[in-house]
């Protein structure tokens, strides 16, 4: 089976870029022969092969146990934040429900019901199927969803093992070495820790970047982020020790190399709107407590003095082959300590299916069309003005966005004087 998974990894995403969809799902919705003729027959042996069933259940259980451990660690790091307990409690409850599945028979029964109980999953897969194949694929997806899910469990385990193997084989040490060679540095000669142990040592050119979803060190000479396997909490302690001059030399193994990193520090719970508008973070993201895929993104452009609110929903609106979201955009100006809205509009943003998948993770992804429904210019509307005892801007968002709870959460902690 590993050879089949290797072939899947070598697939060319020839239709379009489905990087966020994943190659295994791409092979499934494309009805690639690797899935249909090679993998599916092997998976159906699992109906009578106890060893293969045990392998599936081990991978399934271990996957959720690792996810549980990650969430517990996140909760420990962020337990002091507002609503953290409720937010993480919900996620843990969902995982505990999945962990109640302890036999292969229970897993198959769960998967047979999943598309009925979660029709949104069928819609998403079918949208991709239609985009790739030009026809409806509901019947195919329903008939093969169990095979797809079991295969994905084993494929994820294969990917994890491969990732670990790459680390153990110091795969990225060679990448690091090559990056330094590009700028004329022999890292083996410059860094004795790299020469001896393939570790990178902190120095005046290398700084720690410790964020919620990523821990890296960054060398400003080459502009690359070197990912390190150090938990955020521990890395924070290390930073404090360095700051207090209690630690002078430290080196890290590199597990991955990238040009940039996701900075999620202000996103998970977001930053509530404050009167000091200019100090808002560049990006905030609020999640629904009851539905993780419902979120409200708020982008702040300090150069253009603008705020953009965009709502993404689990049950997103589909228009033909496109996906539609809603945006409230405003521009503001400051006069002393007061802030005023000078421009305000509402738009429908139209995405292709693949660009919407990118948008779920990247606020910089743009739709291919905009449709305005109203637009205000040359205004001087105080940010704190209330209409009928309600903040005006809150009224605007509440009038258009479907998820009222996220709108309320964003404004509920504003300490505004009564009008």
């Amino acid at each position: 089976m590993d050879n089949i998974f290797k072939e899947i990894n070598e697939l060319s995403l020839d239709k379009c870029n489905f990087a966020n969809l994943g190659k295994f799902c791409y092979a499934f919705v494309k009805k690639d022969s690797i899935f249909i003729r090679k993998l599916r027959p092997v998976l159906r042996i699992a109906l009578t092969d106890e060893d293969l069933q045990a392998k599936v259940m081990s991978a399934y259980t271990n996957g959720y146990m690792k996810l549980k451990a990650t969430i517990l660690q996140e909760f420990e790091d962020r337990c002091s934040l507002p609503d953290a307990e409720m937010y993480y409690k919900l996620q843990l409850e969902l995982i505990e429900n999945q962990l109640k599945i302890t036999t292969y028979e229970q897993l198959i029964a769960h998967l047979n019901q999943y598309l009925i109980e979660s029709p949104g999953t069928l819609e998403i897969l079918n949208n991709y199927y239609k985009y790739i194949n030009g026809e409806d694929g509901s019947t195919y997806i329903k008939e093969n969803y169990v095979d797809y899910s079991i295969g994905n469990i084993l494929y994820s385990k294969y990917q994890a093992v491969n990732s670990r193997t790459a680390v153990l084989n110091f795969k990225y040490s060679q990448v690091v070495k090559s990056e330094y060679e590009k700028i004329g540095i022999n890292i083996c000669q410059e860094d004795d820790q790299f020469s001896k142990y393939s570790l990178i040592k902190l120095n005046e050119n290398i700084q720690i970047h410790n964020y919620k979803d990523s821990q890296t060190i960054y060398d400003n000479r080459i502009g690359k982020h070197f990912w390190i396997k150090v938990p955020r909490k521990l890395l924070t302690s290390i930073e404090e020790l360095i700051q207090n001059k209690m630690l002078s030399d430290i080196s890290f193994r590199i597990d991955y190399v990238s040009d940039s990193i996701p900075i999620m520090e202000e996103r998970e719970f977001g930053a509530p709107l404050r009167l000091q508008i200019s100090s808002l973070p560049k990006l905030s993201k609020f999640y629904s407590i009851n539905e993780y895929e419902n979120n409200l993104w708020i982008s702040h452009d300090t150069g253009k003095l603008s705020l953009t609110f965009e709502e993404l929903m689990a049950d997103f609106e589909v228009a033909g082959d496109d996906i539609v979201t809603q945006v409230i955009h405003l521009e503001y100006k400051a006069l002393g300590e007061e802030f005023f809205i000078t421009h305000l509009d509402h738009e429908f943003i139209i995405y292709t299916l693949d660009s919407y998948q990118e948008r779920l993770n990247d606020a910089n992804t743009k739709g291919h069309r905009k449709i305005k429904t109203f637009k205000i210019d040359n205004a001087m509307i105080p940010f704190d003005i209330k209409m009928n005892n309600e903040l005006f801007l809150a009224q605007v968002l509440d009038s258009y966005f479907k998820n009222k709870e996220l709108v309320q959460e964003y404004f509920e902690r504003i300490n505004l004087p009564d009008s």
Side-chain angles (χ1 to χ4, degrees):
M1 192 176 296
D2 285 358
N3 289 334
I4 298 175
F5 290 151
K6 183 179 179 181
E7 287 188 58
I8 290 175
N9 279 343
E10 293 172 352
L11 278 175
S12 173
L13 305 183
D14 51 3
K15 182 71 177 180
C16 54
N17 185 6
F18 276 88
N20 287 314
L21 182 61
K23 286 194 174 182
F24 187 84
C25 187
Y26 179 71
F28 171 60
V29 295
K30 187 186 177 186
K31 296 177 70 172
D32 194 275
S33 61
I34 299 174
F35 179 85
I36 299 296
R37 298 180 183 178
K38 295 184 179 182
L39 183 59
R40 189 171 62 178
V42 175
L43 294 173
R44 293 187 174 178
I45 294 174
L47 294 173
T48 56
D49 187 330
E50 292 184 359
D51 289 339
L52 187 52
Q53 291 178 12
K55 185 177 180 180
V56 170
M57 291 309 302
S58 175
Y60 172 85
T61 303
N62 288 338
Y64 276 106
M65 289 299 293
K66 289 180 180 178
L67 181 58
K68 180 180 178 180
T70 299
I71 292 175
L72 285 171
Q73 182 62 58
E74 285 187 14
F75 176 56
E76 183 180 348
D77 291 342
R78 304 173 68 86
C79 60
S80 62
L81 293 175
D83 299 328
E85 182 175 0
M86 186 180 300
Y87 173 78
Y88 285 109
K89 181 180 179 182
L90 175 64
Q91 294 191 63
L92 291 170
E93 287 177 353
L94 294 174
I95 291 173
E96 291 295 346
N97 286 336
Q98 297 300 319
L99 288 172
K100 290 178 181 178
I101 298 173
T102 58
T103 69
Y104 189 77
E105 290 74 17
Q106 290 174 339
L107 178 59
I108 295 301
H110 167 72
L111 294 174
N112 277 324
Q113 290 295 314
Y114 187 78
L115 292 182
I116 298 174
E117 297 172 354
S118 304
T121 299
L122 175 60
E123 182 180 8
I124 291 172
L125 290 173
N126 193 34
N127 283 337
Y128 281 117
Y129 184 97
K130 288 187 288 187
Y131 185 77
I132 294 173
N133 302 297
E135 60 184 15
D136 186 87
S138 299
T139 300
Y140 164 78
I141 293 168
K142 291 176 183 177
E143 291 177 349
N144 293 277
Y145 184 74
V146 172
D147 293 323
Y148 161 70
S149 299
I150 297 298
N152 198 30
I153 291 171
L154 295 173
Y155 176 76
S156 297
K157 175 66 178 298
Y158 169 82
Q159 291 288 80
V161 171
N162 270 7
S163 177
R164 176 62 65 195
T165 300
V167 170
L168 295 177
N169 291 339
F170 296 100
K171 173 184 176 180
Y172 286 102
S173 297
Q174 296 303 314
V175 177
V176 171
K177 183 178 179 181
S178 175
E179 291 293 342
Y180 280 108
E181 288 174 348
K182 292 177 183 178
I183 60 171
I185 293 177
N186 185 330
I187 192 63
C188 293
Q189 292 181 359
E190 180 175 294
D191 191 334
D192 61 343
Q193 296 303 306
F194 189 86
S195 176
K196 294 177 181 177
Y197 309 111
S198 292
L199 304 177
I200 291 292
K201 182 178 178 180
L202 288 191
N203 58 40
E204 65 276 7
N205 298 303
I206 303 175
Q207 300 84 37
I208 293 174
H209 285 220
N210 188 11
Y211 299 113
K212 176 192 173 294
D213 288 318
S214 57
Q215 284 68 52
T216 69
I217 56 176
Y218 180 82
D219 192 325
N220 54 38
R221 293 173 295 180
I222 61 176
K224 297 288 184 179
H225 286 272
F226 298 151
W227 293 65
I228 57 179
K229 195 69 172 179
V230 181
R232 184 185 184 208
K233 190 174 183 179
L234 173 59
L235 194 57
T236 301
S237 298
I238 290 172
E239 290 179 289
E240 186 174 343
L241 291 173
I242 294 173
Q243 183 177 1
N244 293 331
K245 302 188 183 303
M246 296 180 181
L247 191 160
S248 58
D249 295 329
I250 187 167
S251 305
F252 299 97
R253 183 190 67 194
I254 308 305
D255 284 357
Y256 189 65
V257 179
S258 65
D259 293 321
S260 60
I261 56 174
I263 303 177
M264 301 291 287
E265 195 66 24
E266 291 284 354
R267 298 185 192 177
E268 288 295 343
F269 288 93
L273 189 62
R274 299 185 291 266
L275 281 176
Q276 194 65 22
I277 305 302
S278 59
S279 65
L280 282 171
K282 291 184 178 180
L283 184 64
S284 290
K285 183 177 179 182
F286 286 77
Y287 291 90
S288 169
I289 292 174
N290 298 317
E291 176 56 73
Y292 188 79
E293 294 181 17
N294 290 345
N295 32 83
L296 174 64
W297 294 67
I298 303 96
S299 301
H300 180 207
D301 190 322
T302 56
K304 296 181 179 179
L305 301 181
S306 70
L307 286 171
T308 302
F309 302 80
E310 183 169 11
E311 180 181 59
L312 305 183
M313 301 292 292
D315 57 339
F316 51 77
E317 180 181 350
V318 178
D321 292 330
D322 292 322
I323 294 173
V324 182
T325 70
Q326 297 191 79
V327 161
I328 300 292
H329 168 258
L330 67 85
E331 296 173 1
Y332 67 87
K333 69 182 300 182
L335 294 179
E337 296 297 319
E338 295 185 80
F339 291 85
F340 298 85
I341 298 171
T342 59
H343 166 87
L344 181 68
D345 65 40
H346 168 265
E347 298 174 327
F348 290 111
I349 307 298
I350 315 301
Y351 295 92
T352 61
L353 292 171
D354 53 330
S355 66
Y356 182 74
Q357 280 296 309
E358 295 176 5
R359 175 63 187 85
L360 293 176
N361 299 303
D362 184 358
N364 294 317
T365 301
K366 306 298 182 183
H368 63 85
R369 290 177 62 203
K370 295 181 179 180
I371 302 173
K372 292 184 185 294
T373 66
F374 85 90
K375 178 171 173 280
I376 296 173
D377 291 308
N378 301 316
M380 285 290 287
I381 305 171
F383 256 89
D384 58 356
I385 192 170
K386 290 184 178 181
M387 316 293 290
N388 295 322
N389 295 319
E390 184 180 9
L391 194 69
F392 170 69
L393 183 56
Q395 284 183 348
V396 174
L397 269 66
D398 193 58
S399 296
Y400 288 92
F401 290 170
K402 298 177 182 178
N403 198 316
K404 312 302 183 185
E405 292 181 359
L406 292 184
V407 174
Q408 180 180 353
E409 179 184 354
Y410 191 68
F411 289 101
E412 67 183 0
R413 293 192 289 274
I414 305 175
N415 184 20
L416 294 175
D418 294 332
S419 57

